[in-house]
């Protein structure tokens, strides 16, 4: 099996966890595999090739290269299943349903006004989260992380008193929000904060 994934600092924590789990299963089953940085390093053939990644432009290019080699692309990631054109296979999270479950959970526990925080406009997964949120909540309650969580927080901070719950687009945004609110909020006000990312970052973080 050949697996295409970025190396070093270019790989996201999400992609790193996917690769770690896949490698564990392959080693358990004693199956041979090879990690490549690009489909350009792969040989032509009829075997499927696994693509791990989160960036739409990069994945689109890798899919096209795989097809030119006669290889069937299998994407492992957090993209919507219908994000790309053509024939490919995809193992992905049901981001929309996960967002709906969070909204239902918050409302069941008394949340009446919810914000969506830290949305990355360039993220396909965040676009799906945003579409689901805007179906059930208000568009003006969305706060974007356009390359700056600090700017996102400053925008949110001026309206924070309106909310009793916040859904963060990822764990980094959630940790950042908790820390920044601790520095600014003097009212000892309770606020439900949850992340819809599902990585292990929050398991290593405990508010003081």
């Amino acid at each position: 099996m050949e697996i295409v994934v970025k190396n070093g600092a270019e790989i996201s924590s999400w992609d790193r966890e996917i690769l770690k789990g896949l490698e564990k299963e392959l080693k358990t089953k004693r199956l041979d595999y090879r990690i490549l940085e690009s489909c350009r390093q792969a040989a032509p053939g009829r075997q499927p090739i696994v693509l791990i990644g989160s960036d739409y432009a990069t994945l689109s290019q890798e899919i096209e290269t795989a097809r030119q080699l006669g290889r069937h692309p299998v994407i492992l990631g957090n993209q919507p299943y219908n994000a790309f054109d053509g024939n490919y296979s995809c193992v992905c999270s049901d981001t929309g349903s996960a967002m709906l479950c969070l909204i239902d959970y918050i409302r069941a526990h008394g949340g009446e006004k919810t914000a969506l925080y830290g949305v990355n406009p360039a993220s396909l997964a965040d676009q799906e989260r945003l579409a689901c949120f805007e179906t059930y909540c208000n568009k003006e309650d969305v706060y974007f992380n356009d390359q700056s969580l600090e700017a996102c927080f400053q925008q949110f901070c001026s309206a924070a008193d309106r909310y009793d719950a916040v859904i963060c687009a990822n764990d980094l945004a959630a940790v950042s929000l908790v820390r920044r609110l601790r520095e600014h909020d003097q009212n000892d006000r309770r606020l439900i904060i949850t992340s819809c990312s599902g990585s292990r970052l929050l398991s290593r973080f405990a508010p003081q």
Side-chain angles (χ1 to χ4, degrees), residues 47 49 78 125 128 191 207:
Q47 292 295 320
I49 187 166
N78 61 344
E128 190 170 2
L191 184 68

Side-chain angles (χ1 to χ4, degrees), residues 116-159:
L116 179 60
Y117 182 87
V119 176
N120 180 357
S123 166
L124 288 173
D126 280 8
Q127 289 177 23
E128 190 170 2
R129 293 183 182 107
L130 176 62
C132 182
F133 182 85
E134 290 182 342
T135 300
Y136 300 96
C137 303
N138 296 321
K139 294 182 179 181
E140 60 266 26
D141 297 323
V142 178
Y143 298 86
F144 290 93
N145 173 21
D146 194 0
Q147 300 182 344
S148 172
L149 275 174
E150 178 60 27
C152 182
F153 176 76
Q154 293 302 328
Q155 182 186 11
F156 172 81
C157 189
S158 62

Side-chain angles (χ1 to χ4, degrees), residues 4-16:
V4 175
V5 63
K6 294 295 183 183
N7 282 330
E10 295 185 28
I11 185 173
S12 68
S13 58
W14 181 280
D15 296 341
R16 189 176 290 110

Side-chain angles (χ1 to χ4, degrees), residues 187-208:
N187 300 324
D188 194 28
R189 182 173 52 84
R190 293 186 62 83
L191 184 68
I192 301 172
I193 300 177
T194 183
S195 169
C196 52
S197 174
S199 79
R200 297 185 180 181
L201 177 58
L202 285 184
S203 68
R204 302 187 179 101
F205 173 81
Q208 302 298 320

